[in-house]
Amino acid sequence: MLKKKKTKLIILIAMLVILIMTTTIILNAGVLATNSIYYVDSVGGNDNNKGTTEASAWRSLAKVNSITFQPGDQILFKAGCSWTGSLHPLGSGANGSPIKIGMYGTGNKPLLNGGGISAVIYFYNQQYWEISNLEITNDDNFSVNSTGVTRCGIDIENYGAGTLNHFVIKNCYIHDVDGDDANKYTANFGIYFRVQWADPVSTFNDITIDNNILQKIDAGGIFTESAWAERPGVYTGWFIGEWHGWTNVIIKNNILDDIGMDGIVTCVCASPIVEYNVVSNFNMRSGTYAAGLWPYNSDNALFQYNEAYGGRTILDGMGFDCDWLCHNTVMQYNYSHDNEGGFMLVCCDGTKSGAPFNTNSVIRYNISQNDKCRVFSFNGPATNTYVYNNDIYLGVGSTTKPVDSYIWGGWAKGINFYNNIFHLVGSGGYNFGSCTNIVFDYNVFYGNHPSTEPSDAHKLTSNPLFVNPGGAGTGRSTCSAYQLQSGSPCIDSGMSIANNGGKDFWGNTLYNGNPDRGAHEYYSGGPTSTPGATPVPTAVPTPTPTSTSTPTPAATPTSTPGNMILNPDFESGEAYWTNLGGSSSVASNPHSGSRSRQITSTGTGFSQQITSGVVANASYTLKCWGKVATANEIGKCGIKCYNSSNQVVGDWILMDFNTTTYTQKSGTIITPSNGVKLEVYGIRNAGSNYVYFDDMELINNSGATPVPTAAPTPTPASTSTPTPAATPTSTPGNMILNPGFESGEAYWTNLGGSSSVAGNPHSGSYSRQITSTGTGFSQQITSGIVVNASYTLKCWGKVAAANEIGKCGIKCYNSSNQVVGDWILMDFNTTIYTQKSGTITIPSGGVKLEVYGIRNAGSNYVYFDDMELYKN
């Protein structure tokens, strides 16, 4: 018996030894637990620490690079600290649990200085990562051209890893990346995503590049590239594998300045969205062909609400480019000015074998002011280009050609110009070379009339009566100079165009009566809507490459000491505020200073989210001054709190303003135990006129909260196109706006991976598509909601494959934004459209309905159309 006990004891000891050894091996391999936060402090840290608290922070990049991180982990670098070298952490996150790199503490963004290495931040065959709030530089000596080198700020590589998902890069300052200033083909970029050729087929999905500043970059700013890019029947000699476009690529709200070559380029993408970016002073040092913003070898690219100016050289040098190997590029609502190469290039390399193409490019509702050399340039055999409702202004002394053309293995065919306004005070002429199938109709030619002016059966030559032709400056908001005045001959005299995007440059719904010519659809009886959503600031910081601090962007808004709101009086324009629709900072109706926040008669409102200084179980007081333009208007100012899952928690304050003179109101909120973020906002609630707010304050009652040096990255209400100023029509009685999605994104909120597409309709020409990795979409209805009344939702839906399930539903909220009463959810699992319906009754306290469509299961697409909501 004693011998048996001894044997068991020996076995137990051996098992313990094995367990200890295994644990030691795992720890030595750098594999840690999931959902952990690790801190890095270059001054007070120590690599022998655990790293899991600020007091036990790690010190070096080498330590971080030795660790294989797990889903949900966070790597936080201390504000005000700096590191030299490359950051290459190991591991991948998971769907819904990305690994995050960011900062902690207050002060300047943490600085990562590559000092001339190949990439400051590098990922290889990894996925589900988010990078935010870092300063990145990679300069050994910018005064000497680094010919033949490879240098990036952020380099993310896929080498035979299949589809890599979810990368977010936001709120970073990337500057002085000293690459080869004339070679974008050897990985010299501020932000670079690339797929190398290796089996299996490899792509990226779900890339978001948002709210970054890139300055003094050689060669290119933001670039995507793939070897899986060869189109059937086309041989370029550059690619290896067949074309596989990347999905869900969004590049928005970025500022790029002083770029050696190209600004933003999306290569090998399917339906990329590039919006609200400013690219200035590009092609500065390359001495070769480059442009501001453009897609290449991509399908259904959408470039909108961007500004490009200061492009150098006439080797391209255009602000925008519809490049070759692209189908269905749309360039809309952009502003181009003062580019040496012009506004828009439409090109195709006809020298390549097979059947190279550039087809069905659409260029609409853009403004070009004083671009140089040529405004439009058609190079090579591009086919079926549609140019309509653009405003072109060329001032006194200009020799710019409105249209120029070049042979590049052939000539363009099918060039269509409709409803454009050419306001030409200069002396340049039109050159179409040997292009064929050229159509001009319903255009305006005012000022200079060269002998080469194209024939146009319905042309106008009278003054279009712009508000201030030539008077726009830097920033899309200055383009109000190109709105039409009352009495303009362009009003109601244009040609109707189907599938026109649904709105003009300023967000006005098309059409108001008969179509207008130019980028402005005129509405009488009040001010015109402001352009789209919040414009991106056009000023960029002046970097000091050797400094460990982050330069402050020009005109950083100040707050009263203790005020947690940035730019609280709107004196710094749109800075730090998110436009929820129809709102802007205007130089009128201030309570103090010279500006206020205006919400138009059809607008929704604005908001700002605050994360710094938000503490659980603390009280915060919001104060706001507000007024309405007429007595029948109601404006509301409020505050609410969110948890870490972005759900509203605790009390929710909403204060009414209904007087025509400024009054101040205040309310106090207590953050619950799980509160991590506050949102302050102003909205228009009722009436048919304007609302104004000013001088907003948010104070932590337990003590003054330091104002952060950089604003939290705004979370837009939607990644979709902002709501137009006027309401799309619905079937009489239907409470849903834009129910057939014929007006694009108007009135719908994208919950992820959904968009209005020109295909798969039940009726009309558009449907709502949810991608194979998407979530869905929704619309909230507040008008016409009556307690104890019943409402019926009807919806048509289908799935792309039998293993897919889509759901359409409706739910009701109370005034605290909590779901109340019944909740309807209807399944769709057939590959042909079927209609389903369900009825909901508004319970006591119900004030708002939400209709939505979601993808529930499977690996393919879901489509919805023709949604109806009726009060019974």
Side-chain angles (χ1 to χ4, degrees), residues 85-148:
S86 179
L87 174 63
H88 177 36
L90 305 176
S92 288
N95 188 15
S97 296
I99 303 171
K100 297 181 179 181
I101 300 174
M103 67 175 279
Y104 73 97
T106 58
N108 298 315
K109 288 182 174 67
L111 171 64
L112 304 185
N113 189 339
I117 59 178
S118 60
V120 181
I121 299 179
Y122 176 64
F123 291 98
Y124 178 81
N125 289 355
Q126 296 162 266
Q127 60 182 337
Y128 295 106
W129 283 84
E130 297 184 359
I131 305 165
S132 65
N133 297 310
L134 300 178
E135 179 182 358
I136 298 166
T137 187
N138 196 9
D139 175 22
D140 61 343
N141 184 358
F142 215 103
S143 63
V144 178
N145 180 33
S146 304
T147 304

Side-chain angles (χ1 to χ4, degrees), residues 133 143 168 179 272 511 545 592 838-839:
N133 297 310
S143 63
V168 176
Y511 295 111
S592 68
T839 299

